[in-house]
Amino acid sequence: MAPLIEVRGLKTYFYTDDGVVRAVDGVDFTIEQEKTLGVVGESGCGKSVTALSIMGLIQTPPGKIEAGEILYHRNGNVTELTNLDPKGKEYRSIRGNEIAMIFQEPMTSLNPVYTIGNQIMEAIILHQKVGKKEARKRAVAMLEAVGIPLPRQRIDEYPHQLSGGMRQRAMIAMALSCNPSLLIADEPTTALDVTIEAQVLTLMHDLRKEFKTAMMLITHDLGVIASMADDVVVMYLGKIVEGSTVRNVFHHTKHPYTQGLMSSIPSLATKRHRLVPIEGVVPDPFEVPAGCGFEPRCPQSMGICKRETPPLKEVVPGHRAACWLYE
Amino acid sequence: MASDNVLLEVKNLKKYFPVRKGILRRVVAHVKAVDDVDLYIKEGETFGLVGESGCGKTTIGRTILRLIEPTAGGVIFRSKRLANSSEQYREVDVTAASPKVMKALRRDMQIIFQDPYSSLNPRMTVGAIVGEPLLVHGVARGSEREDRVRHLLGAVGLKPDHMKRYPHEFSGGQRQRIGIARALALEPQLIVADEPISALDVSIQAQVLNLLEDLQDEFGLTYLFIAHNLSVVKHISDRVAVMYLGRIVELARTEELFDNPKHPYTEALMSAVPVPDPDYSAERIILKGDVPSPVNPPSGCYFHPRCRYAREVCKTETPVYRHLGGEHFVTCHLADSLNLRPVRKG
Ligand SMILES: Nc1ncnc2c1ncn2[C@@H]1O[C@H](COP(=O)(O)OP(=O)(O)OP(=O)(O)O)[C@@H](O)[C@H]1O
Ligand SMILES: Nc1ncnc2c1ncn2[C@@H]1O[C@H](COP(=O)(O)OP(=O)(O)OP(=O)(O)O)[C@@H](O)[C@H]1O
Ligand code: SF4
Ligand SMILES: [Mg+2]
Ligand SMILES: [Mg+2]
């Protein structure tokens, strides 16, 4: 498969009154065309900031992309997104047309004063260059595709009239109505009940196939990652600590942090056993440890871990980890 | 009572909240948040209560503690503290207890909240927060109180010098530990834990789950563990009740529930949970539609519009909550004839 997005050495920092937050601190990964990349990690590890950096939506100030490149492959050409003006014409057209994003809380991206139909139609008119009548037809079809019952009626309702699950579907409909090559989904089901989550995940899975859309799926839920992703990167303190295919990451786990995550969650499908938690807490972003960021919590830490930051590198073919155990 | 070592029994519990409309705030309808629930909790066990948002879990927990008054029904608690010298325990109906009895019961039953951020007073030190119940109930004062607080902080894995700090100086998991220490202060028999780990980071959740298990062993605690995460409930509970729209649809011992589900909602719920194993390939049962509103629940079986096994009788007749044998209860017309899918082992 060919790459769609290549992120190289990305650093996105925030300059706050309390100091510099290295939200994304040298991150490398590739999203393949038509594939789903799962991004997993705990609160504050930089998942959303990574996504917003690709979207060109980092608020400056306080944020700034300090280093790195985001290579976007299309029609045989490569565009370096960080070279574009985030507010300029080209980026605006990429955003929405080619790269779309759905957020955890759909109310933040649906406008409460417009009907969902108006909002989807607006996206269609803008991106597909069709008239109002045709746009409405396509919007109804889109709502139908995402499984909203009575789409001809629902299209004229306002976001607050829909349930959480339906709002999330409306968001997906809006995001997909421009047929993007990449869909970034930031915790798309975290706010939903489990039976509704299953509906939405199944829908995303099917639509992604149908529309041949690549996806960057951000979540802290290892279950969601396991059932949706082709490739996975695990983030900790603004860095990728492990990355490979979903099977490698789950079945041949390399990094002590990933191992810790796996052993600290109960699964429905395994026998009851005592959980093995990761000791301690994620450090404050202003007090990032020297050396390996995971060292203070790592059960396998060694002398070098305190002093030097382990590079992210291939430890077996196709499987990357940032850990001195694999030197 | 259902059996000898029962600590708490909930009988025909109902809680209807009025829905008001217009300038006159007239009551136009009722939310049947809890709609005729029966259950018992045994001493020393963890009883899991699971179900989707709005199904009435918190309302049950709060009614048991009488933080809200029920519309109907009873909550019978067997208190050791209230027993006189000739009895092992005293049976009290919490919903009808006098203020004096209620004050004693408050020591027996405590709650841990979901949100460790808002449930602690930001202007009080950790020592004051954890020691407050001791003061209010006149259990210990001065240096004795301080010793007790120090001991409690130790029990939940915090340090004695944390006493002088304020909640905002702690992480989410640590704050949840503070809440747990406070709940333990009066040596309760029952702790209602309402989503105690949902707000915590994944790596911290296991720390708190293990802590709850250890404290249960150490202090002989009984838990009512409320959560929407089925994997967590399965992990921690001895018995589990599954709720849907204010009712218990199924209740059984944990292994029995997952190996031999009898309610179609339980089956669907179990199949919907994403399993952290990319090779796990059980076909998901996708329920149609949304959870209906508890203001205007469907006719017959509340679950019938989403149930793939529903027959005519399900639309017209409300199934009763019935005993299937052992400790298995179910609310479904077809429970005896259906062959439902258990959780597939990974
Ligand atoms: N606008 C901002 N100003 C200052 N700091 C920020 C800003 N946005 C994000 N950060 C910081 O950057 C870090 C990474 O944040 P990010 O939102 O990417 O985390 P996340 O992995 O998405 O977490 P979550 O799972 O909670 O959504 C955090 O420490 C966060 O506080
Ligand atoms: N004080 C109240 N007034 C009116 N309705 C209420 C009140 N408290 C709860 N309800 C309603 O009662 C129903 C049950 O609520 P409850 O909080 O018990 O659900 P829950 O199962 O705990 O949900 P969650 O998983 O979201 O915490 C819901 O429909 C809720 O909106
Ligand atoms: S580098 Fe060292 S401290 Fe970091 S994860 Fe590997 S073993 Fe643990
Ligand atoms: Mg985020
Ligand atoms: Mg609740």
Side-chain angles (χ1 to χ4, degrees), chain A residues 116 139-152 154 162-163 165-173 176 196 199-200 202-204 206-207 210-211, chain B residues 286-290:
Chain A
I116 55 163
V140 168
M142 235 18 250
L143 290 175
E144 195 153 32
V146 297
I148 291 189
L150 307 173
R152 265 174 205 82
R154 292 283 182 182
L162 305 180
S163 69
M166 277 204 265
R167 280 201 288 263
Q168 201 54 288
R169 285 152 191 272
M171 267 299 306
I172 295 172
L176 289 178
I196 309 300
Q199 293 173 353
V200 172
T202 307
L203 171 77
M204 285 173 53
D206 296 349
L207 289 180
E210 189 183 326
F211 287 74
Chain B
I286 302 298
L287 290 180
K288 299 169 283 193
D290 280 319

Side-chain angles (χ1 to χ4, degrees), chain A residues 241 254-258 291-306 308-310 322-326:
Chain A
V241 295
K254 296 290 179 211
H255 199 280
Y257 174 62
T258 320
C292 169
F294 188 57
E295 191 279 330
R297 308 177 73 189
C298 180
Q300 300 179 66
S301 126
M302 307 163 288
I304 185 174
C305 310
K306 276 195 181 59
E308 284 177 58
T309 308
C323 172
W324 290 121
L325 288 174
Y326 301 96

Side-chain angles (χ1 to χ4, degrees), chain A residues 110-157:
Chain A
L110 287 172
N111 191 328
V113 303
Y114 295 109
T115 63
I116 55 163
N118 268 331
Q119 299 183 53
I120 298 173
M121 281 161 60
E122 192 191 16
I124 293 174
I125 291 169
L126 192 71
H127 298 298
Q128 300 182 12
K129 316 260 181 275
V130 295
K132 224 172 159 186
K133 221 170 150 193
E134 178 61 23
R136 189 177 169 91
K137 239 165 90 190
R138 292 190 188 181
V140 168
M142 235 18 250
L143 290 175
E144 195 153 32
V146 297
I148 291 189
L150 307 173
R152 265 174 205 82
Q153 202 170 311
R154 292 283 182 182
I155 190 170
D156 293 319
E157 290 186 357

